[in-house]
Amino acid sequence: MSEPSRRALGVLLAHAVTTQVVTFVLRPTMAYRAIELDVPSAWLGVLGASFAIAPLLLALPAGHAADRYGERRMAVTGALTLVAAGIAFLTLGHTVAGLVAAGILLGTGHLGCVIAQQALVANTTRSGGHDAAFGRYTFAASLGQAAGPVLISVFGGEQAIPDTGAIFLWSCGLAVLLVVLSALLARSPRPEAGDRDDGGGVRSLLRRPGLAYALITSCVVLAAVDITLVYLPALGTEQGLTAGTIGLLLTVRGLASMASRFFLGRLSQAAGRRRLLVTSTVAAAVAMLLTPLPMPLWLLLGVLLVLGFGLGVGQPLTMSWLAESAPPGLRGRAMSLRLVGNRTGQILLPGAAGLVAAGLGAGGVLMVTALGLGWAGVAARRLPADGGKHGGKHGGKL
């Protein structure tokens, strides 16, 4: 890898980390500000949904814009929107309506940055290198998600409610840094007119063999991650586990996911992309199925290690498959289509699992989710072994 490529990679990974730090410090802080305002608990769900509105409504247009105008412009636009979100939290965050407006801006800015990052990885990676590239990228994103909440502890972690105003102010500063990083992002090679395949747009993508299975696997895996974060603490309460023990289990799960992403390139070369995706998803399903069963803590830690490792593989591998399947000129839309599927799954699947497992408690929800995860893993066997013939002719050396 040449020195300019190392520099480009460093800027991209720093951009990914900073985007997630800003997002994952502002989202919980928004909830803390609502608690300060004595907002009814039912409204907390509305505030959370305000962040998800943008990906559902704007993801496909954002992907089209990234394809047409380039990833750097999309990243700058997203970062500026995050700055606007921070300012909105500072100036309008004393009302529920202001928090909702700021949350929508936050979701929109996060969307723009993420679409730009994923399209840039897809368009600047050599054919055959997407697994490792998306492994590095998702590792950086996970690092940012883990680091973001640390700012909350800095500004009053020992208090019931941190200094939300100070967090909003520092988040504005981080968003300004993100604007600078956006301007420093590398440009991806634009496909020549004869090589660009944007006829039919999203319809062209939907006709790609195996695309439905890639989208299903991606959204089920992400929904399983969310369900684990919500229902593992509930399971701990039911089984008498301490909050510290649950925190340890969640930490092990998160670290295992980061490890699987860090070594994803080597794992994919050793096992093959499709086999790795199927095996890891099925292994995660088995681990989730075992999680509610009574067992010693050391064994439960091992189960969560397998669960985290398996769940960490699904997102980057489906990104990689889509990147190599989509032709030049459609990769931004391919990533945005995946994002729409993920957000839809995050909204529908947890509620569906809860309804199906009604009366069975948190353990029942985890078991039902495990069955869905296992089905997604088996369905992933229908994916073509190769993402497609389009990866790499225009790829760079990121």
Side-chain angles (χ1 to χ4, degrees), residues 23-99:
T23 303
F24 275 75
V25 71
L26 283 177
R27 291 187 69 185
T29 304
M30 177 171 61
Y32 278 123
R33 173 58 66 88
I35 294 171
E36 283 183 315
L37 299 175
D38 294 324
V39 172
S41 58
W43 275 92
L44 293 179
V46 175
L47 292 176
S50 68
F51 176 83
I53 289 174
L56 284 176
L57 299 181
L58 300 177
L60 291 177
H64 185 274
D67 287 331
R68 183 170 182 179
Y69 302 109
E71 303 89 355
R72 183 190 292 179
R73 290 183 182 179
M74 176 57 63
V76 170
T77 302
L80 288 173
T81 308
L82 286 178
V83 173
I87 294 173
F89 278 120
L90 276 173
T91 58
L92 305 176
H94 57 281
T95 66
V96 174
L99 288 176

Side-chain angles (χ1 to χ4, degrees), residues 199-208 337:
V202 172
R203 285 177 296 175
S204 173
L205 285 172
L206 291 173
R207 289 195 294 266
R208 299 264 163 194
L337 190 62

Side-chain angles (χ1 to χ4, degrees), residues 270-365:
R273 179 188 299 160
R274 183 173 58 188
R275 182 181 300 172
L276 177 61
L277 180 60
V278 172
T279 303
S280 62
T281 306
V282 171
V286 173
M288 183 174 281
L289 196 64
L290 295 175
T291 297
L293 302 179
M295 66 183 76
L297 179 58
W298 64 268
L299 184 56
L300 186 57
L301 285 169
V303 169
L304 266 292
L305 189 70
V306 174
L307 177 62
F309 198 92
L311 292 178
V313 167
Q315 295 301 308
L317 277 189
T318 51
M319 286 183 197
S320 177
W321 187 90
L322 284 169
E324 294 192 1
S325 175
L330 282 179
R331 287 174 181 146
R333 272 164 282 189
M335 296 300 146
S336 65
L337 190 62
R338 174 187 160 277
L339 196 68
V340 170
N342 283 353
R343 290 294 179 265
T344 303
Q346 283 181 295
I347 292 172
L348 297 179
L349 294 182
L355 288 175
V356 172
L360 300 179
V365 174

Side-chain angles (χ1 to χ4, degrees), residues 233-273:
L235 179 69
T237 302
E238 293 176 2
Q239 296 187 351
L241 300 177
T242 66
T245 299
I246 295 299
L248 175 62
L249 292 172
L250 289 173
T251 299
V252 168
R253 187 209 63 80
L255 291 175
S257 292
M258 292 175 69
S260 68
R261 291 171 173 180
F262 188 81
F263 295 106
L264 188 64
R266 296 178 184 177
L267 291 171
S268 179
Q269 286 181 348
R273 179 188 299 160

